[in-house]
Amino acid sequence: RYPQLEKYAEEMEAFIGKCTGEAVEAGRYELLPDGELFALVQRYETRPKEKGRMESHGKYTDLQYVVSGRETVFYDLAEGLSIEEDKRSEKDVVFYEQGSDKGGIILTSGMFACCAPQDAHMPCIRCGEHGEKVTKIVFKILAR
C-alpha cells in the first residue's frame, strides 16, 4: 500500500480490470476530472537499453502497470542528472543525458512501478537479448 495513492486505488483497479477483461484501444483515458488522474494505455516492443532515455515528470507521478509482457525499468534521482531535453511546458517530461543509473527492476504482468516527480526512470527496456511485446497502463496522478 502507498498511502498517497489510496485515494485513486478504486479507479485504477477498475480500469485495470477493464483492460484485462476486454480489448481496450491504446490511448488516453480520463479517469477523474481536471487532469487529477488519467491513464495511458500503451502497446510496444521493448528496446535495448542504449536506445532508452531516462525521464522524469514535474506535474505527475507515474504508476506504470504491466498488463502483459515484461520489461526492465531503470531508475535514478533526477536531481543528479544532466538535462538533455526539457519539455515540461508542453508535455510534462524532462529527458536526461545517457549515463549511469542506480539499477533496474523487471516488471512482469500484474506488477507496477511508482515514479514520483523526483524519480528519473527509463521504461520499456528489454529483459534479455530480444524485444518483447508489452501492454502497459501508465496512470498519471497529479502530484500535490
Side-chain angles (χ1 to χ4, degrees):
R1 291 277 176 200
Y2 293 82
Q4 69 274 32
L5 303 177
E6 283 185 20
K7 175 180 177 181
Y8 307 105
E10 188 175 310
E11 286 86 1
M12 290 188 294
E13 288 173 4
F15 192 77
I16 290 168
K18 180 178 180 178
C19 290
T20 55
E22 61 184 80
V24 174
E25 294 291 320
R28 180 178 169 139
Y29 296 84
E30 299 295 326
L31 302 180
L32 290 175
D34 302 322
E36 184 176 0
L37 175 67
F38 64 92
L40 303 172
V41 175
Q42 303 174 338
R43 290 187 176 83
Y44 53 86
E45 188 163 316
T46 55
R47 58 185 171 243
K49 185 178 181 188
E50 55 272 6
K51 293 198 176 188
R53 295 176 84 183
M54 195 69 77
E55 64 183 61
S56 69
H57 313 285
K59 192 174 175 184
Y60 287 94
T61 293
D62 277 6
L63 188 139
Q64 299 194 10
Y65 178 86
V66 175
V67 177
S68 64
R70 65 184 187 140
E71 69 177 48
T72 303
V73 178
F74 290 91
Y75 59 91
D76 208 329
L77 293 174
E79 68 184 27
L81 302 177
S82 298
I83 294 174
E84 179 179 67
E85 187 176 7
D86 188 338
K87 293 189 157 209
R88 279 178 281 205
S89 60
E90 315 99 72
K91 295 188 175 189
D92 187 44
V93 65
V94 175
F95 294 105
Y96 299 93
E97 293 178 5
Q98 285 281 7
S100 63
D101 54 70
K102 302 284 190 251
I105 57 171
I106 294 175
L107 298 180
T108 60
S109 179
M111 296 178 69
F112 71 89
C114 186
C115 304
Q118 70 272 10
D119 302 325
H121 51 286
M122 182 191 306
C124 311
I125 305 302
R126 292 178 181 169
C127 295
E129 289 291 315
H130 304 286
E132 296 181 42
K133 293 187 185 305
V134 171
T135 299
K136 182 166 68 176
I137 305 166
V138 179
F139 292 99
K140 303 293 267 183
I141 304 156
L142 191 62
R144 303 265 180 226

